[in-house]
Structure formats: structure tokens, C-alpha cells
Amino acid sequence: MEDIIRSLGYLTLGSRLKRIGEQLQADTQRMLDGLEVPVQSSQYPLLAALDRLGPLPVGELAQSLGITQPGVTRSVALLTELGLVEVVQSDGDQRRRMVSLTGNGQRLVSRAKRDVWPRIENAVADLCRGLTGPLLEQLSAIEDGLAAAPLERRVKQDAVP
Amino acid sequence: MEDIIRSLGYLTLGSRLKRIGEQLQADTQRMLDGLEVPVQSSQYPLLAALDRLGPLPVGELAQSLGITQPGVTRSVALLTELGLVEVVQSDGDQRRRMVSLTGNGQRLVSRAKRDVWPRIENAVADLCRGLTGPLLEQLSAIEDGLAAAPLERRVKQDAVP
DNA sequence: CTTTGTTATATAACATGTAATGAACAAGGT
DNA sequence: ACCTTGTTCATTACATGTTATATAACAAAG
């Protein structure tokens, strides 16, 4: 069965990148399923941003993640519900709402940084190992690689000694 | 403002691909807005698949697009509503529903193939021109390129002489 | 020819992106 | 002191992907 998105080349590059991204996220999700944490893989960038940059207002969080503000507002509401982040009114400007990690959120990120993220990085690096050449060929190699062995089967057991 | 998704490298490759794909689709949408057709850019792959492969049952359409069957069912309902595709029961197996382009759908695809798709392909090819090297660097170049000049400003006026 | 498993599609519920709009607040000129 | 205007965030409506499940049609076996 011909893969149309692949056949159409540059014309459907957007659809193709989106599709590969979704597949990678789904694979990553399966790697995370072992943890007892009820957080989707797509929420980790937000947590990582707070961990890396410290408390941020909603708008700057959106900028640093490259998504729009309503998306951040919704994710923050979800993660607040889960007790992983909290929101306080800014001291100066009453419009700004500073988002920060809670203790639980900080603990989750620390654990992920130690136990999980290195595995994911290794698995993706393994998937992309040796890739060179034109973009479309690299994408085909990634698609073929994921079909042959999804991320969760690319974890090196000695990745975190 | 640091771009977290970009900074995290392989760890967030999935989010990054998805984000670039969405941006490309949005740019493409703006290139299509000149047409009077109320079809989102994301629907074109389905139309292209029918044009290229002929009438297909829902399941095979899903396979050829690399998405799941419920997604196809919904898109087919939408495009049927717009009069661009139609569904007939298969002759043999009454479970299968063959999807095909209507006259209007065929005309839309023909027009797109002649007037619009070459421009999009050219614009994306221009964006990706000269890209080589590791995947993450190519992605950065694409992000920078889109920020510098979105697709709609990359259309060569003589692309379709 | 009924029962039982499989296949094809539809439907519902959810996730997560977008754009558009409105409310609250800040800031500046008169 | 007030308007006006811009900024920040929440809310709503939509698009489009997913998974899980229901339903209908077919196939195979007694």
C-alpha cells in the first residue's frame, strides 16, 4: 500500500513531520507508562521549561515552548489539578500569573531527569544514528527505523549505569 | 527567550517535529486561502490519495495516509458534506464503503495540481534548499528559515509559466 | 443453518493544537 | 483624576489526531 504522504515529497512535508512527531510521542508515552505518573509525554516540555528557566508567567512559558497561550493555560490547569505546578499572582503586575513547579513537580522532574530522560534521549539518538543526507531521505530512514523497532526496544540496558 | 524544545535535542524530537509540521501546514493554509475552496490544507492528502490511487475503501485510505481509521471516517464525512467526495457501498462486501472523488472533487484536485501544488512544492523545496548534515541542524535551519520568510513569501512568480 | 470469531466502519470520549474574543489591569496623555 | 490604548490571561469554539468500543456483515465450523 503506497504511502501517499511519503510519495508526495515536499508537497506534504508538513503532514509528514507532524505524523512522525506524533509517532515519536506515542512511542515515548509507552516508555513512560512504566512510571506511576499520570502525565502525558506532551506535558514534559512544560515541566522541563519550568525546571530549566524557573517560575515563568503564562505568556513567556508559551514563548519558550513555541506554542500559543491558550495551550499553556490549559496545560497549566491540568498540571495544577495534578499538583505538579502551582500558580501565584505576580507581585508587581496583577495580570501576570507566575507558574512554578510544586515540590511534587520538582521531584517528578528530578526523577525523570535521572531515570527516564536519558533513556529516551538514547533511544532517539539510536534511531537517528548515522543519519546524513537530504532531509526527505533522513525522514524515510526514521519512519523505517520506527517501523522496524519502536523506541521502547531501543533502550540500552546500560544506558544509566 | 530560550526555545526549550530546541534546547532539549533528541529528548523532545517528537514535539519538535510536530511543531514544525503544524507550522508548515499553517503556512500552506495561507497559500491556499486565495482559492475559494473551504478545505483545510490537512484534507488535501486524502484528496490526493483518491486522485492517485482511485476509489478506495475507508480502511485502505487510512493505511495509505498513515492515520487511523476513525480519522479517515471523520474527514470523509466532512468532505462528503462539501460535495468533494462520495461514498458507495462496495459491490461485493457490504461492509466496505468505497470513497471516491466527485466531479467537483476531481475538478478541485486538477486545479490544485496545476495551479497550487507546484507552488507549494517549490516553496518548501526552497526552504529546504541546500540542507545537509545532522537532522537536528537541518531542523534548526528550517525553523530559522520559516521565521525569516514564511512559505508564502517563497513562491517564485515564474514557477508556473 | 445457527453459533462464533473476524473484519470493516462508525461513534464516543479524550488530547492538544489553533484563532477569536472578552475582562482585568497597566500606562500615558490631556 | 480620567479616558484611551495596549498587554495578559481565560474562555470558547473548532480542527484533527488518538483509543476504546459498538454494530453490522462476512466466514468458518459444527
Side-chain angles (χ1 to χ4, degrees):
Chain A
M1 174 63 51
E2 180 186 7
D3 182 338
I4 289 286
I5 303 291
R6 203 156 151 168
S7 300
L8 291 180
Y10 282 135
L11 179 58
T12 52
L13 181 61
S15 298
R16 192 170 180 189
L17 291 174
K18 194 176 167 206
R19 196 178 70 176
I20 299 174
E22 280 163 356
Q23 195 179 348
L24 275 175
Q25 286 186 320
D27 276 32
T28 302
Q29 183 61 50
R30 280 197 296 278
M31 293 183 67
L32 292 170
D33 280 347
L35 293 177
E36 68 275 18
V37 190
V39 180
Q40 302 270 344
S41 61
S42 44
Q43 302 297 333
Y44 279 92
L46 195 157
L47 298 173
L50 293 177
D51 176 63
R52 201 176 163 95
L53 304 176
L56 285 178
V58 171
E60 288 182 32
L61 200 41
Q63 262 188 273
S64 71
L65 294 169
I67 64 175
T68 55
Q69 166 262 310
V72 170
T73 295
R74 191 194 309 165
S75 284
V76 166
L78 172 72
L79 294 171
T80 300
E81 198 67 28
L82 295 173
L84 298 174
V85 307
E86 63 189 352
V87 167
V88 298
Q89 290 297 328
S90 164
D91 283 351
D93 189 331
Q94 289 304 108
R95 290 167 303 183
R96 304 175 86 193
R97 297 180 60 228
M98 300 298 291
V99 184
S100 59
L101 292 171
T102 61
N104 275 341
Q106 187 58 64
R107 273 187 291 279
L108 171 61
V109 171
S110 298
R111 189 151 53 97
K113 276 203 289 193
R114 196 188 55 222
D115 295 341
V116 192
W117 291 354
R119 288 171 192 256
I120 294 170
E121 246 188 299
N122 271 313
V124 179
D126 179 68
L127 175 67
C128 300
R129 190 178 319 290
L131 286 191
T132 56
L135 181 66
L136 294 182
E137 289 177 21
Q138 292 199 28
L139 295 181
S140 292
I142 288 178
E143 287 164 338
D144 293 342
L146 280 178
L151 282 192
E152 58 266 37
R153 275 200 274 137
R154 292 171 181 271
V155 179
K156 294 182 192 36
Q157 298 313 320
D158 54 9
V160 186
Chain B
M1 173 65 51
E2 181 184 5
D3 182 337
I4 289 288
I5 303 291
R6 201 158 155 168
S7 299
L8 291 179
Y10 282 134
L11 179 58
T12 52
L13 181 60
S15 298
R16 191 170 180 190
L17 291 174
K18 195 176 165 206
R19 196 178 68 175
I20 298 174
E22 281 163 354
Q23 194 179 348
L24 275 175
Q25 286 185 322
D27 276 31
T28 302
Q29 183 60 52
R30 279 198 296 277
M31 293 184 66
L32 292 169
D33 280 346
L35 292 178
E36 69 275 19
V37 190
V39 180
Q40 302 272 344
S41 60
S42 44
Q43 301 296 333
Y44 278 91
L46 196 156
L47 299 174
L50 293 177
D51 175 64
R52 201 172 161 90
L53 304 175
L56 285 177
V58 172
E60 288 182 34
L61 199 41
Q63 263 188 272
S64 71
L65 294 170
I67 64 175
T68 56
Q69 168 262 310
V72 171
T73 294
R74 192 193 308 169
S75 284
V76 166
L78 171 72
L79 293 171
T80 300
E81 197 67 30
L82 294 174
L84 299 173
V85 308
E86 62 190 352
V87 166
V88 297
Q89 291 295 327
S90 163
D91 281 352
D93 188 333
Q94 288 304 111
R95 293 169 300 183
R96 304 175 83 193
R97 300 179 61 227
M98 302 296 290
V99 184
S100 59
L101 292 172
T102 61
N104 275 340
Q106 187 58 64
R107 271 187 291 279
L108 171 60
V109 171
S110 298
R111 189 151 51 99
K113 276 203 288 194
R114 196 188 55 220
D115 295 340
V116 191
W117 292 354
R119 288 169 193 256
I120 294 170
E121 248 187 296
N122 271 316
V124 178
D126 178 70
L127 175 67
C128 300
R129 190 177 318 289
L131 286 190
T132 56
L135 182 66
L136 294 183
E137 289 177 21
Q138 292 198 28
L139 295 182
S140 293
I142 289 178
E143 289 164 337
D144 294 342
L146 280 178
L151 283 192
E152 59 265 36
R153 274 201 274 137
R154 292 172 180 272
V155 178
K156 296 186 189 35
Q157 296 315 322
D158 53 11
V160 186

